[in-house]
Amino acid sequence: MAPCMVTVNQDTVVQAAFSTCRGWCKEMLPASSVTSNLLGVGGTAPSNVMVVGESGAAFVWDGAIWKTVQLPPAAATKTLRAAAGKPAATVTYVAGDGGTILKWSSGGFTQVTNPSTANLRAIAIGNNTSPNTFFVGEMCIRDRYGALLRATRS
């Protein structure tokens, strides 16, 4: 490994972080906040990644650290199963049980109203200027044979 050198010409704070990890590396989430299984991950950029899971678990990576995310009250105890964002965009969608769809933008969530009560499990976002966003889920009482939802604006 080559030596690391920094030249400083004024008062500067320098923080060095070293890792011996290569390939797949375990990430450290806020330790006291992870009390359930994590089920989905997605984002829009290397500095905007969302991880979601059981019991309303949600964390966002800002490029430096993982932060716990506050959910809307109606989603706070839902199992969240999927997260997806369009690359280079600013919106990440999260989907979960009971038809839960959340939109992450500008550092906060908003609840997305939709007709389904399915346990939503996956999200796909088109990659054109007006992308469709699709959500799929499993069978439940109202959606007898599964659910496929499409949002025509993102």
Side-chain angles (χ1 to χ4, degrees):
M1 186 182 299
C4 177
M5 297 175 47
V6 177
T7 303
V8 179
N9 297 324
Q10 60 186 6
D11 289 344
T12 304
V13 176
V14 177
Q15 178 180 354
F18 300 95
S19 173
T20 58
C21 181
R22 301 281 186 258
W24 292 94
C25 306
K26 183 177 180 179
E27 284 288 318
M28 300 306 296
L29 292 166
S32 62
S33 300
V34 183
T35 59
S36 56
N37 292 315
L38 301 175
L39 305 172
V41 60
T44 61
S47 61
N48 184 30
V49 178
M50 179 77 54
V51 175
V52 296
E54 296 173 339
S55 303
F59 306 94
V60 67
W61 174 255
D62 66 5
I65 62 171
W66 288 100
K67 297 177 184 173
T68 303
V69 176
Q70 183 72 33
L71 297 174
T77 61
K78 300 283 187 179
T79 292
L80 305 174
R81 300 179 180 278
K86 181 179 172 186
T90 58
V91 174
T92 300
Y93 284 97
V94 170
D97 287 358
T100 299
I101 298 176
L102 304 173
K103 180 179 177 180
W104 173 262
S105 181
S106 302
F109 273 122
T110 55
Q111 187 104 26
V112 177
T113 303
N114 72 84
S116 182
T117 59
N119 293 336
L120 301 174
R121 296 189 173 271
I123 306 166
I125 300 174
N127 200 21
N128 59 14
T129 56
S130 295
N132 289 320
T133 303
F134 293 90
F135 301 84
V136 295
E138 66 188 28
M139 186 173 76
C140 66
I141 294 170
R142 184 170 172 199
D143 302 306
R144 293 183 40 191
Y145 300 107
L148 172 61
L149 304 174
R150 178 177 63 143
T152 56
R153 292 177 278 150
S154 66

